[in-house]
Amino acid sequence: MTGAIVQRVAGTDNSSGTTISATITGVAAGNHLVVHVGWGDPVPPGTITCSVSDGTSYTAADSKRTDTVNSQSGQVFYLENAGSGSHTVTATFSSSTNFICIRVYEVSGLRTSGSLDQNFGQFQSSPGTGTDGVSSGATSATTNANDFVMGFTQDT
C-alpha cells in the first residue's frame, strides 16, 4: 500500500497565545495524523506539546527548528494508527507566542507503528538562491525505496 494524503485542515492565530487547535473529521481508523506547528516571534517559545482531544500525545518527529534570523520556526509531530472519527489537535506552548499556526494531515497507507524513517530540517533566508536552494544540503537518505516523504514550509 502506498502512502497518500487523505485530507488536511489548518488554523492560524496572528495574535499572541499559548495554544492553537484544529479539528479534523472523518479520520479512518489506522491512518496517521501528521502535524506541523509553526510560530513567529519570540524564538524559541519554550516547550511545545501536541495532543489529541482524547488526551493522546503526539510523537515529536524532529526537534524544534528555530530560525533566529527570520523569527520563524516549526516542529513536526505525528500520531500513528489514529482512531476513527473526529480529532481536535491542540499544540500547546509553554510561553506566549506570536503568529502561531497548525496544519494537520491525515495520511493513509503507512505502517501502524515504527513508521518514522528519517527527518531533516533546513532554514532558508532567501529560498531558492545560493546555499538556500532546496536541494542544497537538504538531504535525508531513506532506508526503504517505498518511503512516504512529506515536506513543510513556513512563512509567518
PDB file of all heavy atoms in Angstrom, residues 112-143:
ATOM      1  N   THR A 112       1.505   0.973  10.867  1.00  0.00           N
ATOM      2  CA  THR A 112       0.771   1.455  12.043  1.00  0.00           C
ATOM      3  C   THR A 112       1.671   1.672  13.254  1.00  0.00           C
ATOM      4  O   THR A 112       1.238   2.233  14.252  1.00  0.00           O
ATOM      5  CB  THR A 112      -0.374   0.494  12.416  1.00  0.00           C
ATOM      6  OG1 THR A 112       0.166  -0.807  12.640  1.00  0.00           O
ATOM      7  CG2 THR A 112      -1.424   0.454  11.318  1.00  0.00           C
ATOM      8  N   SER A 113       2.933   1.260  13.178  1.00  0.00           N
ATOM      9  CA  SER A 113       3.896   1.553  14.245  1.00  0.00           C
ATOM     10  C   SER A 113       5.296   1.574  13.644  1.00  0.00           C
ATOM     11  O   SER A 113       5.550   0.932  12.620  1.00  0.00           O
ATOM     12  CB  SER A 113       3.816   0.523  15.376  1.00  0.00           C
ATOM     13  OG  SER A 113       4.223  -0.741  14.917  1.00  0.00           O
ATOM     14  N   GLY A 114       6.193   2.324  14.268  1.00  0.00           N
ATOM     15  CA  GLY A 114       7.568   2.399  13.781  1.00  0.00           C
ATOM     16  C   GLY A 114       7.689   2.971  12.380  1.00  0.00           C
ATOM     17  O   GLY A 114       8.557   2.576  11.610  1.00  0.00           O
ATOM     18  N   SER A 115       6.851   3.940  12.054  1.00  0.00           N
ATOM     19  CA  SER A 115       6.787   4.426  10.673  1.00  0.00           C
ATOM     20  C   SER A 115       7.815   5.502  10.325  1.00  0.00           C
ATOM     21  O   SER A 115       8.111   5.697   9.152  1.00  0.00           O
ATOM     22  CB  SER A 115       5.393   4.977  10.382  1.00  0.00           C
ATOM     23  OG  SER A 115       5.104   6.052  11.247  1.00  0.00           O
ATOM     24  N   LEU A 116       8.380   6.193  11.312  1.00  0.00           N
ATOM     25  CA  LEU A 116       9.327   7.265  11.011  1.00  0.00           C
ATOM     26  C   LEU A 116      10.681   6.680  10.636  1.00  0.00           C
ATOM     27  O   LEU A 116      11.299   5.957  11.419  1.00  0.00           O
ATOM     28  CB  LEU A 116       9.486   8.220  12.194  1.00  0.00           C
ATOM     29  CG  LEU A 116      10.447   9.389  11.969  1.00  0.00           C
ATOM     30  CD1 LEU A 116       9.943  10.300  10.854  1.00  0.00           C
ATOM     31  CD2 LEU A 116      10.642  10.170  13.255  1.00  0.00           C
ATOM     32  N   ASP A 117      11.145   6.992   9.436  1.00  0.00           N
ATOM     33  CA  ASP A 117      12.433   6.506   8.964  1.00  0.00           C
ATOM     34  C   ASP A 117      13.504   7.569   9.186  1.00  0.00           C
ATOM     35  O   ASP A 117      14.495   7.330   9.856  1.00  0.00           O
ATOM     36  CB  ASP A 117      12.326   6.148   7.477  1.00  0.00           C
ATOM     37  CG  ASP A 117      13.593   5.551   6.898  1.00  0.00           C
ATOM     38  OD1 ASP A 117      14.630   5.516   7.588  1.00  0.00           O
ATOM     39  OD2 ASP A 117      13.558   5.118   5.742  1.00  0.00           O
ATOM     40  N   GLN A 118      13.321   8.763   8.642  1.00  0.00           N
ATOM     41  CA  GLN A 118      14.290   9.846   8.731  1.00  0.00           C
ATOM     42  C   GLN A 118      13.558  11.170   8.871  1.00  0.00           C
ATOM     43  O   GLN A 118      12.382  11.280   8.524  1.00  0.00           O
ATOM     44  CB  GLN A 118      15.153   9.918   7.457  1.00  0.00           C
ATOM     45  CG  GLN A 118      15.928   8.670   7.150  1.00  0.00           C
ATOM     46  CD  GLN A 118      17.078   8.465   8.100  1.00  0.00           C
ATOM     47  OE1 GLN A 118      17.714   9.416   8.535  1.00  0.00           O
ATOM     48  NE2 GLN A 118      17.348   7.219   8.442  1.00  0.00           N
ATOM     49  N   ASN A 119      14.263  12.185   9.339  1.00  0.00           N
ATOM     50  CA  ASN A 119      13.740  13.542   9.288  1.00  0.00           C
ATOM     51  C   ASN A 119      14.902  14.501   9.147  1.00  0.00           C
ATOM     52  O   ASN A 119      16.025  14.189   9.543  1.00  0.00           O
ATOM     53  CB  ASN A 119      12.866  13.873  10.504  1.00  0.00           C
ATOM     54  CG  ASN A 119      13.645  13.912  11.790  1.00  0.00           C
ATOM     55  OD1 ASN A 119      14.387  14.858  12.034  1.00  0.00           O
ATOM     56  ND2 ASN A 119      13.497  12.899  12.621  1.00  0.00           N
ATOM     57  N   PHE A 120      14.616  15.632   8.544  1.00  0.00           N
ATOM     58  CA  PHE A 120      15.656  16.622   8.296  1.00  0.00           C
ATOM     59  C   PHE A 120      15.004  17.987   8.195  1.00  0.00           C
ATOM     60  O   PHE A 120      13.884  18.104   7.717  1.00  0.00           O
ATOM     61  CB  PHE A 120      16.395  16.303   6.985  1.00  0.00           C
ATOM     62  CG  PHE A 120      17.526  17.258   6.710  1.00  0.00           C
ATOM     63  CD1 PHE A 120      18.768  17.059   7.285  1.00  0.00           C
ATOM     64  CD2 PHE A 120      17.348  18.355   5.894  1.00  0.00           C
ATOM     65  CE1 PHE A 120      19.810  17.939   7.057  1.00  0.00           C
ATOM     66  CE2 PHE A 120      18.377  19.239   5.662  1.00  0.00           C
ATOM     67  CZ  PHE A 120      19.611  19.037   6.239  1.00  0.00           C
ATOM     68  N   GLY A 121      15.675  19.018   8.653  1.00  0.00           N
ATOM     69  CA  GLY A 121      15.157  20.375   8.545  1.00  0.00           C
ATOM     70  C   GLY A 121      16.215  21.325   8.024  1.00  0.00           C
ATOM     71  O   GLY A 121      17.412  21.103   8.205  1.00  0.00           O
ATOM     72  N   GLN A 122      15.774  22.345   7.339  1.00  0.00           N
ATOM     73  CA  GLN A 122      16.682  23.347   6.799  1.00  0.00           C
ATOM     74  C   GLN A 122      15.977  24.692   6.797  1.00  0.00           C
ATOM     75  O   GLN A 122      14.812  24.790   6.416  1.00  0.00           O
ATOM     76  CB  GLN A 122      17.080  22.987   5.366  1.00  0.00           C
ATOM     77  CG  GLN A 122      17.951  24.040   4.711  1.00  0.00           C
ATOM     78  CD  GLN A 122      18.228  23.724   3.242  1.00  0.00           C
ATOM     79  OE1 GLN A 122      17.609  22.849   2.659  1.00  0.00           O
ATOM     80  NE2 GLN A 122      19.136  24.449   2.651  1.00  0.00           N
ATOM     81  N   PHE A 123      16.671  25.743   7.233  1.00  0.00           N
ATOM     82  CA  PHE A 123      16.128  27.099   7.155  1.00  0.00           C
ATOM     83  C   PHE A 123      16.721  27.823   5.975  1.00  0.00           C
ATOM     84  O   PHE A 123      17.879  27.617   5.626  1.00  0.00           O
ATOM     85  CB  PHE A 123      16.426  27.880   8.444  1.00  0.00           C
ATOM     86  CG  PHE A 123      15.535  27.465   9.549  1.00  0.00           C
ATOM     87  CD1 PHE A 123      16.030  26.749  10.603  1.00  0.00           C
ATOM     88  CD2 PHE A 123      14.186  27.757   9.518  1.00  0.00           C
ATOM     89  CE1 PHE A 123      15.203  26.341  11.624  1.00  0.00           C
ATOM     90  CE2 PHE A 123      13.345  27.355  10.539  1.00  0.00           C
ATOM     91  CZ  PHE A 123      13.861  26.640  11.588  1.00  0.00           C
ATOM     92  N   GLN A 124      15.914  28.678   5.389  1.00  0.00           N
ATOM     93  CA  GLN A 124      16.341  29.431   4.227  1.00  0.00           C
ATOM     94  C   GLN A 124      15.964  30.891   4.402  1.00  0.00           C
ATOM     95  O   GLN A 124      14.802  31.210   4.586  1.00  0.00           O
ATOM     96  CB  GLN A 124      15.671  28.871   2.978  1.00  0.00           C
ATOM     97  CG  GLN A 124      15.969  27.399   2.769  1.00  0.00           C
ATOM     98  CD  GLN A 124      15.094  26.792   1.702  1.00  0.00           C
ATOM     99  OE1 GLN A 124      13.919  27.088   1.612  1.00  0.00           O
ATOM    100  NE2 GLN A 124      15.683  25.953   0.883  1.00  0.00           N
ATOM    101  N   SER A 125      16.953  31.780   4.331  1.00  0.00           N
ATOM    102  CA  SER A 125      16.634  33.199   4.424  1.00  0.00           C
ATOM    103  C   SER A 125      16.297  33.774   3.055  1.00  0.00           C
ATOM    104  O   SER A 125      15.592  34.753   2.952  1.00  0.00           O
ATOM    105  CB  SER A 125      17.778  33.975   5.071  1.00  0.00           C
ATOM    106  OG  SER A 125      18.971  33.780   4.362  1.00  0.00           O
ATOM    107  N   SER A 126      16.787  33.150   1.989  1.00  0.00           N
ATOM    108  CA  SER A 126      16.467  33.559   0.613  1.00  0.00           C
ATOM    109  C   SER A 126      16.176  32.303  -0.196  1.00  0.00           C
ATOM    110  O   SER A 126      17.031  31.833  -0.954  1.00  0.00           O
ATOM    111  CB  SER A 126      17.641  34.318  -0.011  1.00  0.00           C
ATOM    112  OG  SER A 126      17.936  35.473   0.723  1.00  0.00           O
ATOM    113  N   PRO A 127      14.988  31.698  -0.025  1.00  0.00           N
ATOM    114  CA  PRO A 127      14.689  30.414  -0.656  1.00  0.00           C
ATOM    115  C   PRO A 127      14.982  30.395  -2.155  1.00  0.00           C
ATOM    116  O   PRO A 127      14.684  31.349  -2.863  1.00  0.00           O
ATOM    117  CB  PRO A 127      13.196  30.224  -0.398  1.00  0.00           C
ATOM    118  CG  PRO A 127      12.935  31.023   0.835  1.00  0.00           C
ATOM    119  CD  PRO A 127      13.855  32.198   0.740  1.00  0.00           C
ATOM    120  N   GLY A 128      15.575  29.291  -2.574  1.00  0.00           N
ATOM    121  CA  GLY A 128      15.827  29.065  -3.989  1.00  0.00           C
ATOM    122  C   GLY A 128      17.091  29.693  -4.528  1.00  0.00           C
ATOM    123  O   GLY A 128      17.382  29.587  -5.710  1.00  0.00           O
ATOM    124  N   THR A 129      17.866  30.379  -3.678  1.00  0.00           N
ATOM    125  CA  THR A 129      19.084  31.024  -4.161  1.00  0.00           C
ATOM    126  C   THR A 129      20.303  30.516  -3.407  1.00  0.00           C
ATOM    127  O   THR A 129      20.231  30.245  -2.208  1.00  0.00           O
ATOM    128  CB  THR A 129      19.005  32.553  -3.989  1.00  0.00           C
ATOM    129  OG1 THR A 129      18.918  32.856  -2.602  1.00  0.00           O
ATOM    130  CG2 THR A 129      17.813  33.128  -4.715  1.00  0.00           C
ATOM    131  N   GLY A 130      21.402  30.403  -4.075  1.00  0.00           N
ATOM    132  CA  GLY A 130      22.673  30.042  -3.447  1.00  0.00           C
ATOM    133  C   GLY A 130      22.574  28.863  -2.521  1.00  0.00           C
ATOM    134  O   GLY A 130      22.001  27.828  -2.865  1.00  0.00           O
ATOM    135  N   THR A 131      23.110  29.007  -1.307  1.00  0.00           N
ATOM    136  CA  THR A 131      23.102  27.906  -0.354  1.00  0.00           C
ATOM    137  C   THR A 131      21.727  27.670   0.240  1.00  0.00           C
ATOM    138  O   THR A 131      21.525  26.699   0.962  1.00  0.00           O
ATOM    139  CB  THR A 131      24.091  28.179   0.807  1.00  0.00           C
ATOM    140  OG1 THR A 131      23.712  29.398   1.450  1.00  0.00           O
ATOM    141  CG2 THR A 131      25.510  28.269   0.305  1.00  0.00           C
ATOM    142  N   ASP A 132      20.756  28.534  -0.066  1.00  0.00           N
ATOM    143  CA  ASP A 132      19.393  28.332   0.403  1.00  0.00           C
ATOM    144  C   ASP A 132      18.533  27.587  -0.612  1.00  0.00           C
ATOM    145  O   ASP A 132      17.332  27.464  -0.439  1.00  0.00           O
ATOM    146  CB  ASP A 132      18.718  29.671   0.725  1.00  0.00           C
ATOM    147  CG  ASP A 132      19.148  30.196   2.083  1.00  0.00           C
ATOM    148  OD1 ASP A 132      19.666  29.401   2.895  1.00  0.00           O
ATOM    149  OD2 ASP A 132      18.960  31.388   2.334  1.00  0.00           O
ATOM    150  N   GLY A 133      19.123  27.099  -1.667  1.00  0.00           N
ATOM    151  CA  GLY A 133      18.377  26.287  -2.620  1.00  0.00           C
ATOM    152  C   GLY A 133      17.868  25.043  -1.924  1.00  0.00           C
ATOM    153  O   GLY A 133      18.554  24.462  -1.098  1.00  0.00           O
ATOM    154  N   VAL A 134      16.651  24.616  -2.238  1.00  0.00           N
ATOM    155  CA  VAL A 134      16.051  23.469  -1.570  1.00  0.00           C
ATOM    156  C   VAL A 134      16.941  22.241  -1.690  1.00  0.00           C
ATOM    157  O   VAL A 134      17.054  21.450  -0.779  1.00  0.00           O
ATOM    158  CB  VAL A 134      14.642  23.186  -2.130  1.00  0.00           C
ATOM    159  CG1 VAL A 134      14.094  21.891  -1.588  1.00  0.00           C
ATOM    160  CG2 VAL A 134      13.714  24.337  -1.781  1.00  0.00           C
ATOM    161  N   SER A 135      17.625  22.086  -2.807  1.00  0.00           N
ATOM    162  CA  SER A 135      18.467  20.902  -2.982  1.00  0.00           C
ATOM    163  C   SER A 135      19.849  21.080  -2.359  1.00  0.00           C
ATOM    164  O   SER A 135      20.645  20.162  -2.382  1.00  0.00           O
ATOM    165  CB  SER A 135      18.611  20.587  -4.467  1.00  0.00           C
ATOM    166  OG  SER A 135      19.269  21.655  -5.117  1.00  0.00           O
ATOM    167  N   SER A 136      20.129  22.228  -1.793  1.00  0.00           N
ATOM    168  CA  SER A 136      21.454  22.495  -1.239  1.00  0.00           C
ATOM    169  C   SER A 136      21.541  22.067   0.219  1.00  0.00           C
ATOM    170  O   SER A 136      21.155  22.799   1.110  1.00  0.00           O
ATOM    171  CB  SER A 136      21.778  23.986  -1.354  1.00  0.00           C
ATOM    172  OG  SER A 136      23.013  24.248  -0.755  1.00  0.00           O
ATOM    173  N   GLY A 137      22.011  20.849   0.446  1.00  0.00           N
ATOM    174  CA  GLY A 137      22.216  20.371   1.805  1.00  0.00           C
ATOM    175  C   GLY A 137      21.003  19.741   2.453  1.00  0.00           C
ATOM    176  O   GLY A 137      21.121  19.143   3.504  1.00  0.00           O
ATOM    177  N   ALA A 138      19.836  19.844   1.860  1.00  0.00           N
ATOM    178  CA  ALA A 138      18.630  19.277   2.464  1.00  0.00           C
ATOM    179  C   ALA A 138      18.458  17.843   1.996  1.00  0.00           C
ATOM    180  O   ALA A 138      17.689  17.555   1.103  1.00  0.00           O
ATOM    181  CB  ALA A 138      17.407  20.112   2.097  1.00  0.00           C
ATOM    182  N   THR A 139      19.228  16.943   2.581  1.00  0.00           N
ATOM    183  CA  THR A 139      19.111  15.547   2.190  1.00  0.00           C
ATOM    184  C   THR A 139      18.863  14.673   3.410  1.00  0.00           C
ATOM    185  O   THR A 139      19.287  14.984   4.512  1.00  0.00           O
ATOM    186  CB  THR A 139      20.397  15.051   1.489  1.00  0.00           C
ATOM    187  OG1 THR A 139      21.478  15.146   2.419  1.00  0.00           O
ATOM    188  CG2 THR A 139      20.705  15.872   0.254  1.00  0.00           C
ATOM    189  N   SER A 140      18.159  13.617   3.190  1.00  0.00           N
ATOM    190  CA  SER A 140      17.924  12.619   4.220  1.00  0.00           C
ATOM    191  C   SER A 140      17.659  11.310   3.505  1.00  0.00           C
ATOM    192  O   SER A 140      16.584  11.118   2.947  1.00  0.00           O
ATOM    193  CB  SER A 140      16.734  13.022   5.093  1.00  0.00           C
ATOM    194  OG  SER A 140      16.574  12.112   6.143  1.00  0.00           O
ATOM    195  N   ALA A 141      18.649  10.446   3.467  1.00  0.00           N
ATOM    196  CA  ALA A 141      18.506   9.167   2.769  1.00  0.00           C
ATOM    197  C   ALA A 141      17.563   8.258   3.538  1.00  0.00           C
ATOM    198  O   ALA A 141      17.694   8.078   4.746  1.00  0.00           O
ATOM    199  CB  ALA A 141      19.865   8.508   2.609  1.00  0.00           C
ATOM    200  N   THR A 142      16.573   7.712   2.850  1.00  0.00           N
ATOM    201  CA  THR A 142      15.651   6.789   3.482  1.00  0.00           C
ATOM    202  C   THR A 142      16.209   5.372   3.365  1.00  0.00           C
ATOM    203  O   THR A 142      17.046   5.091   2.515  1.00  0.00           O
ATOM    204  CB  THR A 142      14.259   6.856   2.821  1.00  0.00           C
ATOM    205  OG1 THR A 142      14.380   6.502   1.451  1.00  0.00           O
ATOM    206  CG2 THR A 142      13.675   8.257   2.943  1.00  0.00           C
ATOM    207  N   THR A 143      15.733   4.493   4.217  1.00  0.00           N
ATOM    208  CA  THR A 143      16.214   3.108   4.190  1.00  0.00           C
ATOM    209  C   THR A 143      15.306   2.207   3.380  1.00  0.00           C
ATOM    210  O   THR A 143      15.618   1.051   3.171  1.00  0.00           O
ATOM    211  CB  THR A 143      16.333   2.549   5.626  1.00  0.00           C
ATOM    212  OG1 THR A 143      15.068   2.625   6.267  1.00  0.00           O
ATOM    213  CG2 THR A 143      17.366   3.336   6.427  1.00  0.00           C
TER     214      THR A 143
END
